Amino acid sequence: MESQYFIKNGELTHILKLMQGDITEQETDAIVNAANTNMKLGTGVAGAIRRKGGKIIQEECNQIGSSEVGGAVITTGGNLKSKHVIHAMGPIYHQYSPKDAEIHLSNSVKNSLIVLQDNKLSSISFPAISTGNYGFPKQKAAEIMISTINEFLKSTLNQLSVEICLFSINDYEIFNNVARIFLKK
Ligand code: ADP
């Protein structure tokens, strides 16, 4: 299940793809880990990345040490199909006011895209950051992620291909409904 949206920016047309699937199977230049600030690959997306990518990813995370909420850092992808993992530090929802949690989620998406570009990469796959263990409401997360990606793509001069890979059909439908309205397909 997937759908594509085209985001125009002058001469450029970026693609935003929404799909249902397992992010560890994606072949984009980078996949995004829903990371924690102490850079320990625990459960959820991080656990799946650790299992498939191998221990090299955790070792590189240990070298980096820790990062701030809203930040993003890059490691290799180990044995994954994707050569890079961008670790995005989404917020634990109940630790912040709703507004601050939204700002942190938006920053983690924006910083992931900046890290992608800084490393001269052009395709990226995001999970629904913070919507698992971290408890971010999915509808709101969809609105924040899609609007942040849209804003970034409308301002970058690099040709980028962005996807959001949702684990369940239900999550895919939540995100796709937001995209349909927000991006007016
Ligand atoms: P967080 O701690 O940031 O909430 P989680 O990893 O617990 O991160 O969950 C984030 C989202 O990723 C959830 O919506 C979860 O259903 C989804 N998810 C878990 N495993 C995968 C996977 N292998 N591929 C894609 N999405 C996944």
Side-chain angles (χ1 to χ4, degrees):
M1 225 176 204
E2 63 174 65
S3 51
Q4 289 195 350
Y5 297 86
F6 299 98
I7 297 172
K8 283 198 180 300
N9 170 14
E11 301 282 283
L12 293 178
T13 302
H14 305 287
I15 297 173
L16 171 58
K17 180 164 125 184
L18 300 191
M19 60 174 297
Q20 185 265 321
D22 179 348
I23 198 162
T24 62
E25 291 298 318
Q26 302 314 304
E27 300 183 14
T28 43
D29 295 337
I31 62 169
V32 174
N33 176 24
N36 52 37
T37 52
N38 64 11
M39 305 283 301
K40 296 282 178 261
L41 300 167
T43 57
V45 175
I49 287 176
R50 176 172 40 76
R51 283 191 296 279
K52 275 199 198 155
K55 62 179 194 254
I56 177 87
I57 303 177
Q58 181 63 65
E59 285 166 3
E60 282 190 39
C61 285
N62 294 344
Q63 295 289 321
I64 295 165
S66 65
S67 187
E68 296 194 338
V69 178
V73 298
I74 192 167
T75 66
T76 64
N79 302 323
L80 293 168
K81 292 173 183 166
S82 176
K83 292 216 169 15
H84 308 271
V85 176
I86 294 176
H87 304 263
M89 319 300 159
I92 298 174
Y93 189 69
H94 67 259
Q95 284 189 351
Y96 302 93
S97 68
K99 194 75 222 157
D100 284 347
E102 288 174 20
I103 292 168
H104 286 314
L105 177 60
S106 176
N107 285 340
S108 72
V109 171
K110 186 173 159 200
N111 283 318
S112 296
L113 293 166
I114 290 171
V115 167
L116 183 81
Q117 290 196 149
D118 286 351
N119 285 274
K120 310 220 173 324
L121 305 173
S122 62
S123 63
I124 186 167
S125 183
F126 282 96
I129 299 170
S130 283
T131 65
N133 290 326
Y134 280 8
F136 207 113
K138 288 179 176 171
Q139 171 76 24
K140 198 76 212 168
E143 291 167 14
I144 303 288
M145 288 192 69
I146 288 165
S147 60
T148 304
I149 291 166
N150 182 51
E151 196 177 315
F152 192 90
L153 293 179
K154 281 194 175 305
S155 65
T156 182
L157 296 174
N158 298 312
Q159 178 76 59
L160 300 182
S161 171
V162 178
E163 65 183 40
I164 306 176
C165 176
L166 290 321
F167 212 25
S168 69
I169 302 239
N170 189 47
D171 289 356
Y172 167 81
E173 280 169 355
I174 293 171
F175 274 67
N176 200 32
N177 284 336
V178 170
R180 253 203 314 256
I181 293 164
F182 192 82
L183 304 172
K184 297 193 179 61
K185 191 179 187 182

